[in-house]
Amino acid sequence: MRTQRHQLPLQTLSLVAGFMVWVILSSLMPYIKEDIQLSANEVAVVAALPVILGSVLRIPIGYWTNKYGARKLFFVSFAFLLFPVYFISLADSFIDLLLGGLLVGIGGAIFSVGVTSLPKYYPKERHGFINGIYGVGNLGTAVTTFSAPVIAAGIGWQPTVRLYMILMIAFAVLNFCLGDKNEPKVVTPLAEQIKSVYKNEKLWALCLFYFLTFGSFVAFTIYLPNFLVSHFGLEKVDAGFRTAGFIALATFFRPIGGWLGDKFNSFVILIVVFAGMTISGILLSFTPSLTLYTIGCLVVAISAGIGNGTIFKLVPLYFSKQVGIVNGIVSAMGGLGGFFPPLMLAFLFNLTGHYAIGFMALSQVALASLIIVIWMYYQDKLNLAKNIIDHTAEGIMITDIKGTIEKVNPAFTTVTGYKAEEIIGENPRILRSGKHGEAFYEEMWKSIEEKGSWQGEIWNKKKNGTVYPEWLTISPVKNEAGEIKHFVGMFSEIPKRKQ
């Protein structure tokens, strides 16, 4: 039990360490450029490349975490990171930076470990907050962005990079000693898990949402240090401080987003998130003064942080049996969302001389996400209504105003024997037993018209010809204009002992 209590702080701190290494190149880029000659496009590629492996590997790592446990995955990852970190410290060419940057992406890939492992230790109603706390590990990017330039100013960027090897060794040892050896394992073939989820539209909606929220977080983390120096003429350390502030704010709001997802409707929260990102993207597209630019970035940070925490509340809610692979796919898309924007911004700047189109693209993707999440919000309400109908013990039949049957629930089939495909499109007259004359039905519809409903005992006939008594309630369903659009009949068979 004590080992289990250690997992949240241990895995969160492990994520901090992994993310510290993940952004080491972008954080030190102003210093690296002084020793290695790089074009603007090469700077963008080198800074963004760690995101590639850090994104793609999240899918198998989510799966392997379920299969082998967080202890082994963290230990192996930190041990392996020693090699690219040391290699980067010796780099003297663009190719060296590319190779080292690609492999150091493992530091970002370990994100999938905690979001897959930690929910095993907590009830579902706390998953959003727990994953939000784990997501505070994003703070590792702020730590490096803030501290690496300061250290490099004193001892140089190569020795600064080598210091991270000590950090990797320390966390490899910590996970080996304190990791949970008895973590519950889930062994399902990878192909089988992917096959069970890839057609689910909710998966791809969540991928888009995380592509935008986490992608914005990563993209701004990579893009801001160099942009603030080149565009606004800030000092390197000042640019690092400002970027670290962006990261810290986004990280602080991540557990808040998870908590909000636990307490309130996650779709409503995402509506606010994407509305904020739409507005801020438009503001940034006009390349305003440093003050307005800062406000736009802060809105992105808050929105991205809340969105990141909320989205991972939805993953175990919709994919409880495939949470490992879905966490991997969604988080991989988030990582890729951080890879493309810096490259796109660099390309558009070279093409047009400004960044307006790139930031406007951010606002448009946010607007598209806003539209989709609004649709999902109302779709969720419809699914809730459908689930209520389908799981109601009483039989339910819905007709249009002409009396054509449009929907029935499983309880209807249980009582009458008619399957949905057999009865939809028919008229309720098919159920009449013949025991009631026309006057009975005329009185029934008169009561519905005058009183708004009818309730009483009626004899109907099952598919097999059995005549039985039921207690029936018929009510009209009106639209906002007060027009009747449907009729709903709810009934239950009267037991023989009460007949």
Side-chain angles (χ1 to χ4, degrees):
M1 189 65 181
R2 181 176 297 178
T3 301
Q4 294 180 1
R5 286 199 301 266
H6 290 159
Q7 297 316 300
L8 180 57
L10 175 63
Q11 294 189 30
T12 302
L13 289 173
S14 296
L15 184 63
V16 170
F19 272 37
M20 285 177 66
V21 175
W22 195 25
V23 296
I24 194 169
L25 282 173
S26 60
S27 300
L28 293 173
M29 188 53 66
Y31 293 93
I32 294 173
K33 288 194 302 180
E34 294 177 353
D35 291 339
I36 303 175
Q37 189 171 3
L38 300 170
S39 67
N41 284 337
E42 287 174 337
V43 168
V45 171
V46 169
L49 193 63
V51 179
I52 286 291
L53 197 64
S55 302
V56 175
L57 267 184
R58 289 182 176 189
I59 299 174
I61 281 182
Y63 168 75
W64 290 332
T65 301
N66 261 338
K67 187 174 182 179
Y68 300 111
R71 175 175 174 266
K72 290 182 179 179
L73 265 295
F74 275 127
F75 173 77
V76 171
S77 298
F78 286 125
F80 183 87
L81 278 169
L82 290 170
F83 300 100
V85 170
Y86 181 70
F87 185 80
I88 289 173
S89 73
L90 302 177
D92 60 6
S93 68
F94 172 63
I95 297 300
D96 289 344
L97 294 175
L98 282 182
L99 182 57
L102 176 65
L103 297 179
V104 88
I106 293 173
I110 62 174
F111 175 80
S112 288
V113 178
V115 293
T116 302
S117 170
L118 289 173
K120 298 174 183 178
Y121 301 103
Y122 298 91
K124 278 190 175 182
E125 57 270 17
R126 297 191 64 195
H127 283 180
F129 182 65
I130 293 303
N131 276 333
I133 291 293
Y134 174 70
V136 171
N138 290 345
L139 198 61
T141 57
V143 173
T144 288
T145 305
F146 172 81
S147 62
V150 176
I151 299 172
I155 65 174
W157 68 268
Q158 293 98 333
T160 301
V161 172
R162 283 193 284 272
L163 287 176
Y164 281 75
M165 297 177 65
I166 300 173
L167 185 70
M168 297 300 96
I169 293 171
F171 274 91
V173 173
L174 280 173
N175 278 279
F176 183 81
C177 296
L178 301 179
D180 186 5
K181 299 178 182 179
N182 301 312
E183 177 181 330
K185 307 299 192 300
V186 178
V187 183
T188 304
L190 181 60
E192 183 179 324
Q193 288 198 39
I194 294 176
K195 187 177 179 181
S196 67
V197 300
Y198 81 95
K199 291 184 179 179
N200 192 320
E201 68 277 3
K202 288 186 176 66
L203 167 64
W204 302 113
L206 293 175
C207 284
L208 172 63
F209 299 159
Y210 203 59
F211 180 91
L212 179 60
T213 58
F214 187 73
S216 297
F217 169 78
V218 175
F220 274 76
T221 299
I222 293 172
Y223 152 87
L224 278 177
N226 194 59
F227 176 79
L228 292 174
V229 171
S230 61
H231 188 76
F232 289 108
L234 299 182
E235 293 296 325
K236 298 167 188 172
V237 174
D238 187 16
F241 286 167
R242 290 173 183 269
T243 304
F246 172 91
I247 297 167
L249 190 63
T251 302
F252 172 77
F253 275 94
R254 182 159 188 152
I256 293 177
W259 177 81
L260 289 172
D262 286 336
K263 295 294 182 181
F264 306 103
N265 189 303
S266 298
F267 292 121
V268 174
I269 298 167
L270 290 178
I271 288 172
V272 176
V273 164
F274 294 133
M277 297 191 79
T278 300
I279 295 170
S280 60
I282 294 173
L283 174 62
L284 293 172
S285 68
F286 290 101
T287 317
S289 65
L290 181 59
T291 300
L292 290 177
Y293 190 86
T294 300
I295 293 172
C297 287
L298 293 179
V299 174
V300 171
I302 294 170
S303 300
I306 293 175
N308 289 338
T310 303
I311 289 167
F312 276 96
K313 165 65 179 179
L314 293 172
V315 172
L317 187 65
Y318 289 121
F319 302 95
S320 58
K321 295 181 179 179
Q322 306 95 359
V323 66
I325 191 65
V326 173
N327 275 330
I329 294 172
V330 173
S331 57
M333 291 301 294
L336 291 175
F339 173 75
F340 293 106
L343 297 181
M344 183 179 70
L345 285 170
F347 171 77
L348 290 173
F349 182 79
N350 290 335
L351 193 66
T352 65
H354 54 76
Y355 296 96
I357 298 176
F359 288 121
M360 189 58 72
L362 167 66
S363 72
Q364 296 309 300
V365 175
L367 180 60
S369 298
L370 175 61
I371 294 170
I372 292 173
V373 81
I374 291 173
W375 175 81
M376 291 181 70
Y377 171 72
Y378 285 104
Q379 195 72 15
D380 199 55
K381 283 183 171 293
L382 290 175
N383 288 337
L384 175 62
K386 181 180 181 297
N387 286 334
I388 291 172
I389 291 173
D390 288 346
H391 292 88
T392 299
E394 289 80 11
I396 294 177
M397 176 176 61
I398 302 174
T399 74
D400 62 16
I401 56 174
K402 295 181 180 179
T404 303
I405 299 172
E406 293 186 343
K407 180 176 177 57
V408 296
N409 69 343
F412 176 95
T413 300
T414 301
V415 175
T416 68
Y418 285 101
K419 296 180 181 178
E421 58 269 23
E422 296 174 324
I423 201 71
I424 290 176
E426 300 287 344
N427 189 284
R429 292 190 185 91
I430 195 173
L431 301 173
R432 288 188 179 183
S433 65
K435 284 198 170 191
H436 305 288
E438 286 300 322
F440 174 86
Y441 295 105
E442 290 174 3
E443 186 65 28
M444 173 194 294
W445 289 106
K446 183 179 179 181
S447 174
I448 294 172
E449 183 178 347
E450 294 177 353
K451 299 179 181 179
S453 65
W454 179 88
Q455 189 176 69
E457 182 178 320
I458 186 172
W459 287 80
N460 273 337
K461 183 173 63 176
K462 300 184 180 185
K463 179 182 177 181
N464 62 10
T466 301
V467 175
Y468 69 98
E470 66 182 31
W471 187 260
L472 172 66
T473 300
I474 301 177
S475 304
V477 178
K478 300 179 181 180
N479 62 13
E480 294 181 356
E483 302 170 327
I484 297 175
K485 290 298 183 180
H486 296 89
F487 291 99
V488 177
M490 181 178 291
F491 63 92
S492 57
E493 185 174 1
I494 299 174
K496 289 184 179 181
R497 64 177 180 275
K498 292 185 178 181
Q499 294 176 18

